[in-house]
Amino acid sequence: MKIAIGNDHMAVDMKNHIKKYLEDKGHTIVNFGTDTPDRTDYPIYAKKVADSVVSKECELGILICGTGIGISIAANKVKGIRAAVCSEPYSAALTRQHNNANIIAFGAKVIGTATAETIVDAFINAEYEGGRHARRVDMISDIEEGKFNV
């Protein structure tokens, strides 16, 4: 699988660990993140990863900052992105299965590398179930399109 990864200065080590972990499993990783600890702005990397997923250059995306929160919020501003910040594998799997999420985010200052590995595995290995979830995912898309009225 071809996976985009992006990070800010707070998550260089975590990004490098996850990148190698996934490459060792045979995945192709496209690095859109910073490789230095010099202060930078996470929206830059959120946009690059989100654009690569929306354009289908990459199948899925992984975003990492200090908490995962800011970078996921920024990614969700890109039309067609459903990014979820997760700190454990159960939610990571369900966000793919129920929400058809295409980007996972987590915090390098929140979780360790072993937990990050289990989150990434759960996310990548899960598949969107559609069915009863499709109506809600369609509603999310309608909100994004400005077509959803309550």
Side-chain angles (χ1 to χ4, degrees):
M1 182 179 294
K2 190 171 183 182
I3 302 167
I5 194 165
N7 62 287
D8 68 2
H9 59 283
M10 299 293 290
V12 174
D13 291 340
M14 177 72 81
K15 184 268 306 275
N16 288 333
H17 178 88
I18 294 301
K19 182 177 179 289
K20 181 178 182 334
Y21 176 75
L22 291 171
E23 287 171 340
D24 288 349
K25 290 183 163 233
H27 297 286
T28 300
I29 307 303
V30 181
N31 178 15
F32 290 102
T34 185
D35 291 316
T36 74
D38 300 334
R39 190 178 228 13
T40 187
D41 300 311
Y42 59 78
I44 296 166
Y45 311 103
K47 177 84 163 80
K48 288 179 179 184
V49 168
D51 286 346
S52 76
V53 171
V54 167
S55 72
K56 303 208 183 305
E57 172 189 354
C58 295
E59 296 170 63
L60 295 173
I62 299 170
L63 291 170
I64 317 166
C65 66
T67 64
I69 297 168
I71 206 163
S72 67
I73 291 171
N76 277 314
K77 298 300 180 183
V78 175
K79 184 177 176 181
I81 292 300
R82 286 174 305 283
V85 61
C86 295
S87 297
E88 40 71 34
Y90 180 72
S91 296
L94 285 182
T95 199
R96 281 281 316 269
Q97 293 168 344
H98 294 187
N99 309 118
N100 201 17
N102 46 20
I103 295 179
I104 191 80
F106 47 87
K109 302 297 181 189
V110 177
I111 62 170
T113 55
T115 301
E117 290 173 4
T118 63
I119 289 169
V120 167
D121 285 340
F123 182 71
I124 289 170
N125 294 324
E127 292 184 23
Y128 177 53
E129 294 175 355
R132 66 187 174 98
H133 307 293
R135 184 172 64 88
R136 293 180 194 115
V137 171
D138 289 345
M139 290 170 105
I140 293 168
S141 295
D142 287 347
I143 291 169
E144 191 174 63
E145 296 286 337
K147 299 178 189 174
F148 188 78
N149 296 308
V150 193

